[in-house]
Amino acid sequence: MDPDRAYERADLLKAFAHPTRLQILDELRKGTRCVTDMDDILPVTQVNISQHLTVLRNARLVDFAQDGALRCYYLSRPKLVAGVLSLLSAEHPVIRKTREQIEREKARGRKEKVAARG
């Protein structure tokens, strides 16, 4: 992965990296919501919700449509958000490797590297 792409992806992941933003994204998976709707559901202030929505907008994960004086937000990358939230909610076991397993993997990697050179 080239460095520019890595920084871009890291910034995107940072947008997911807050409990309130995860809750907002999960709520928006259900459909378009105005800030006042989310204010009733989330245990934070409307100002705080707006700040988090700004972060999510800058990451291009959400966008909004103006409805009179209200801004109603929706997911602008629904498949990405659904995929990340699904990964986060899945049970992924933690694996442990023995020193011997690690040494075998390292040796296999060295052999593959030599074979690839010719």
Side-chain angles (χ1 to χ4, degrees):
M1 178 183 315
D2 69 89
D4 289 339
R5 191 69 122 177
Y7 279 102
E8 186 179 298
R9 290 178 178 168
D11 285 340
L12 181 61
L13 289 173
K14 287 176 190 175
F16 282 95
H18 193 282
T20 300
R21 290 196 288 271
L22 288 173
Q23 289 176 299
I24 289 170
L25 291 170
D26 191 47
E27 189 59 33
L28 291 176
R29 280 200 307 178
K30 300 170 190 169
T32 302
R33 301 281 187 270
C34 297
V35 176
T36 53
D37 300 330
M38 288 185 265
D39 187 33
D40 296 337
I41 298 165
L42 299 171
V44 294
T45 66
Q46 194 170 342
V47 171
N48 192 248
I49 292 169
S50 294
Q51 291 168 340
H52 287 294
L53 284 165
T54 298
V55 171
L56 295 170
R57 276 190 56 231
N58 289 339
R60 297 184 330 203
L61 294 172
V62 303
D63 206 350
F64 69 90
Q66 200 77 30
D67 183 16
L70 295 176
R71 283 186 173 183
C72 297
Y73 287 84
Y74 60 90
L75 295 178
S76 55
R77 296 164 87 177
K79 287 183 181 180
L80 172 65
V81 170
V84 170
L85 293 180
S86 292
L87 280 172
L88 292 173
S89 65
E91 293 295 322
H92 298 284
V94 175
I95 62 166
R96 301 277 305 159
K97 292 185 180 185
T98 65
R99 180 177 296 217
E100 292 79 20
Q101 288 173 311
I102 292 168
E103 290 301 322
R104 281 195 302 269
E105 287 180 14
K106 286 169 52 179
R108 193 173 336 140
R110 286 190 292 268
K111 285 180 187 176
E112 290 172 0
K113 203 180 225 182
V114 169
R117 287 190 211 154

